[in-house]
Amino acid sequence: MDQKTAVVTGAARGIGLATTDLFLEMGWRVVMVDRDGAALEEAAGIRQSVTPLVRDVSVPEDVTAMTRDALAWAGRVDALVNNAGVAEFGPIEETDFAKWRRVMETNLDGVFLCSQALTPALKETRGAILNIASISGLRASTLRVAYGTSKAAVIQLTKQQAAELGEYGIRANCVCPGPVRTKLAMAVHTQEIIDAYHDAIPLNRYGSERELAEVITFLCSDKASYVTGQVLAADGGFDSTGVGLPALRGTSAPS
Ligand code: NAD
């Protein structure tokens, strides 16, 4: 019961799986939550100190069951990483209500539901909530009316959680990843989008799952014990820059 436990949603692959692995390296146990049963069983099957829970974070009954099973297995929860997310891009006029809801259900409702359900457990450990938003929640862009809006809402939800739950010792922070070559990103990033990101990112490349996991686990750890209500972009500098970056690169840069 002394061993710390994290609940990571969307843990079957991508950033959630890398975060799981880093928690395990830190000596934590991990409750791996994902609605993709096959991928989750495969990922959990080759790891120790984990338990897989096949649940959908956008379904209230699933979240109730997930909370019950997580506590039955671990007895405590020290960190909740709300990482499960879906990306569906499209122009405003082609984003029908069903698509809008699919994005909001997981990206926003899921964060609200899981955080609320695990708040009593997090009160006991004075634990941490870590929400995954996106640079698309910080800066507007084409095709992201649902995705970008859901992520902007997650940023605000994080601040609400920090404001209200701080008196119980619960910290709430938000990480905004820049582009990472996961299944989610590759499904919506055309070559044009990939090139545009390279141009707009000072570090001139995509990030890795591991680079994101480092930031996520740091904010969940005691090393960040006085940090709450913060939004940290792990994005190669994308959010901090303005216009003209490609023009200033290479031979055209003034010496
Ligand atoms: P991914 O698609 O590789 O993994 C996401 C996982 O979440 C999948 O295993 C999926 O089955 C699971 N999932 C989705 N909806 C779920 C639900 N309702 N209930 C339970 N599980 C669910 O994605 P990723 O790239 O690792 O993304 C992780 C997070 O990072 C997401 O919130 C995403 O929006 C965010 N993000 C990713 C990028 C990127 O470039 N990859 C950039 C910015 C933000």
Side-chain angles (χ1 to χ4, degrees):
M1 281 294 241
D2 285 346
Q3 203 178 359
K4 289 195 171 190
T5 303
V7 173
V8 180
T9 70
R13 64 178 195 231
I15 294 168
L17 185 57
T19 301
T20 297
D21 284 336
L22 201 38
F23 272 124
L24 295 176
E25 286 174 33
M26 290 159 60
W28 291 43
R29 288 180 297 176
V30 180
V31 178
M32 299 173 72
V33 182
D34 207 290
R35 67 180 171 188
D36 182 341
L40 184 64
E41 296 296 344
E42 194 185 329
I46 54 169
R47 287 170 171 79
Q48 291 183 340
S49 302
V50 302
T51 192
L53 298 180
V54 183
R55 294 290 176 190
D56 186 325
V57 299
S58 70
V59 177
E61 296 75 22
D62 268 30
V63 173
T64 302
M66 176 276 284
T67 303
R68 180 197 64 214
D69 295 346
L71 287 169
W73 180 73
R76 59 185 290 166
V77 174
D78 299 85
L80 165 64
V81 179
N82 285 306
N83 164 78
V86 297
E88 290 192 50
F89 289 4
I92 289 174
E93 287 177 294
E94 289 169 26
T95 300
D96 60 20
F97 188 61
K99 184 188 272 194
W100 172 268
R101 282 304 309 149
R102 272 198 305 278
V103 173
M104 292 298 166
E105 269 170 13
T106 290
N107 292 8
L108 181 57
D109 300 354
V111 176
F112 171 74
L113 290 170
C114 291
S115 303
Q116 188 183 54
L118 282 168
T119 290
L122 290 167
K123 278 182 182 175
E124 285 183 26
T125 56
R126 301 177 74 79
I129 295 171
L130 191 291
N131 299 324
I132 305 296
S134 169
I135 47 173
S136 296
L138 292 167
R139 294 174 65 178
S141 180
T142 48
L143 309 182
R144 290 156 172 81
V145 62
Y147 184 76
T149 305
S150 74
K151 294 300 191 179
V154 167
I155 290 169
Q156 180 63 21
L157 176 56
T158 306
K159 294 176 183 176
Q160 296 293 149
Q161 291 169 337
E164 199 171 317
L165 302 177
E167 67 178 291
Y168 306 111
I170 300 175
R171 299 180 298 104
N173 291 293
C174 183
V175 169
C176 294
V180 178
R181 286 180 183 275
T182 62
K183 199 168 176 183
L184 171 143
M186 288 306 103
V188 285
H189 288 195
T190 59
Q191 191 56 47
E192 226 179 340
I193 292 179
I194 294 170
D195 293 344
Y197 267 132
H198 276 262
D199 273 351
I201 291 174
L203 291 182
N204 207 2
R205 63 173 176 85
Y206 274 40
S208 71
E209 287 96 333
R210 178 77 181 195
E211 287 174 307
L212 266 300
E214 293 281 359
V215 177
I216 293 164
T217 53
F218 163 72
L219 286 169
C220 289
S221 78
D222 288 341
K223 289 181 182 171
S225 55
Y226 200 48
V227 182
T228 194
Q230 295 304 301
V231 180
L232 206 166
D235 66 348
F238 176 84
D239 182 50
S240 67
T241 54
V243 294
L245 187 63
L248 288 169
R249 278 218 181 95
T251 50
S252 55
S255 52

